[in-house]
Amino acid sequence: MTVLIIEDEELAATTLQNMLKHIDPKLQVLGILGTIEDAVNWFKSNTVDLLFMDVHLGDGESFQIFKEVVINSPVIFTTAYDQYTLKAFKNQGIDYLLKPFDEDDVRAALTKLNGILKTKESNVLPQKIDELFGKTRNRFMVKVGKLIKTVAADEVAYFMAEDKYLFLVTKDQKNYIIEETISSLEPNLNATDFFRINRKFIIHINSIKEMYKLSRNRVRIILSPKPADVEVVVSEERAEAFKNWLNQ
């Protein structure tokens, strides 16, 4: 599979390239482009199997590229902001990685792409968002020993990533491990009720007990139930979007 990275931050682009090489040495990165102009010129005479595309480039939003050239390749968007999710999925997006993401997030996105391709005989990506990601999740399957049960979305207080595990914590203080990643789960949640505040937490609006303003526009949150030995802080990159979410 050939890959093109469209990213104007040199360190971010190099880090992503190294992640891809480590995940699958057969992935061939054809190049790294940093501007809309460079990308438009490249696509006039080239094609690629997969794109990793930052939303914010030096000369504008990368969505402008789709207005100037036809792109049929699937795109994994990368950005520090979540307000472009819907727009991304309308422009060949098959996943949306929030910075700073890690190798597990990239691996999960590639796994999702492979699953989509395998289910389509023609290898043509579906265009409807609900075909890609399914409808908004109303419940989650969890295991307790040999027992399998479901937890309704309105029973969830928050999701917490810890080491290589993702925990679902309910409002009545029950903890379950779910076999998903925080990045693959996020697009399927009701955006009115749930918000990803940082790399580790997706919280439900009703789980917020108190909030305190910190330096650099960050916000400290007291959750109910309170996670043990963890300070819950909205990251600086997500603070503005978080405030917009609160004001819906």
Side-chain angles (χ1 to χ4, degrees):
M1 178 179 288
T2 57
V3 178
L4 180 69
I5 298 173
I6 300 179
E7 166 66 69
D8 64 341
E9 296 179 12
E10 184 177 352
L11 178 59
T14 302
T15 300
L16 175 57
Q17 185 176 23
N18 291 335
M19 286 182 184
L20 293 171
K21 184 177 181 181
H22 184 257
I23 291 170
D24 186 353
K26 295 190 296 294
L27 289 172
Q28 181 185 0
V29 177
L30 299 182
I32 297 173
L33 305 176
T35 66
I36 294 171
E37 182 181 4
D38 288 344
V40 169
N41 290 334
W42 192 92
F43 276 106
K44 286 179 180 179
S45 56
N46 298 280
T47 59
V48 69
D49 295 324
L50 173 65
L51 279 164
F52 279 86
M53 183 181 291
D54 189 7
V55 172
H56 289 281
L57 300 175
D59 53 349
E61 292 182 5
S62 59
F63 302 117
Q64 182 62 35
I65 299 170
F66 297 89
K67 297 179 181 180
E68 301 191 34
V69 289
V70 176
I71 297 177
N72 295 316
S73 309
V75 182
I76 296 173
F77 284 93
T78 63
T79 180
Y81 307 95
D82 70 340
Q83 62 263 43
Y84 302 100
T85 308
L86 183 59
K87 200 170 182 180
F89 293 157
K90 288 183 177 180
N91 288 280
Q92 294 296 112
I94 61 101
D95 212 337
Y96 191 91
L97 302 183
L98 283 168
K99 297 180 178 180
F101 52 83
D102 57 24
E103 189 170 303
D104 286 341
D105 296 325
V106 176
R107 191 185 302 274
L110 293 172
T111 300
K112 179 183 290 185
L113 172 62
N114 288 333
I116 293 169
L117 294 178
K118 287 178 180 178
T119 58
K120 298 296 173 178
E121 291 182 0
S122 63
N123 281 359
V124 176
L125 289 175
Q127 297 302 306
K128 294 182 180 179
I129 295 173
D130 58 358
E131 289 180 27
L132 281 170
F133 299 98
K135 297 180 180 179
T136 300
R137 295 276 291 276
N138 296 313
R139 53 186 176 270
F140 307 89
M141 186 188 78
V142 299
K143 297 178 182 178
V144 184
K146 294 184 178 180
L147 176 67
I148 298 175
K149 60 177 291 185
T150 59
V151 177
D154 59 7
E155 296 176 25
V156 177
Y158 50 85
F159 298 92
M160 180 178 67
E162 187 72 32
D163 295 327
K164 294 185 177 181
Y165 299 102
L166 181 62
F167 293 90
L168 181 159
V169 181
T170 64
K171 296 174 182 177
D172 57 356
Q173 303 185 43
K174 294 178 180 177
N175 290 261
Y176 304 100
I177 294 175
I178 58 175
E179 297 177 352
E180 302 183 49
T181 67
I182 196 167
S183 293
S184 64
L185 177 67
E186 182 185 6
N188 294 321
L189 298 175
N190 184 330
T192 300
D193 295 332
F194 290 95
F195 186 85
R196 183 173 178 178
I197 60 170
N198 55 38
R199 293 182 64 182
K200 294 186 61 171
F201 281 92
I202 296 177
I203 66 172
H204 192 287
I205 183 67
N206 293 334
S207 70
I208 300 175
K209 183 178 180 180
E210 296 174 345
M211 293 182 285
Y212 298 91
K213 185 178 179 181
L214 301 177
S215 61
R216 303 197 309 274
N217 206 32
R218 297 173 302 153
V219 178
R220 182 164 69 92
I221 298 176
I222 306 300
L223 292 174
S224 178
K226 186 177 181 180
D229 302 321
V230 179
E231 185 179 45
V232 182
V233 177
V234 181
S235 65
E236 185 177 359
E237 296 84 0
R238 316 228 59 207
E240 192 61 37
F242 175 71
K243 292 174 184 178
N244 292 336
W245 177 66
L246 292 176
N247 280 319
Q248 289 186 76

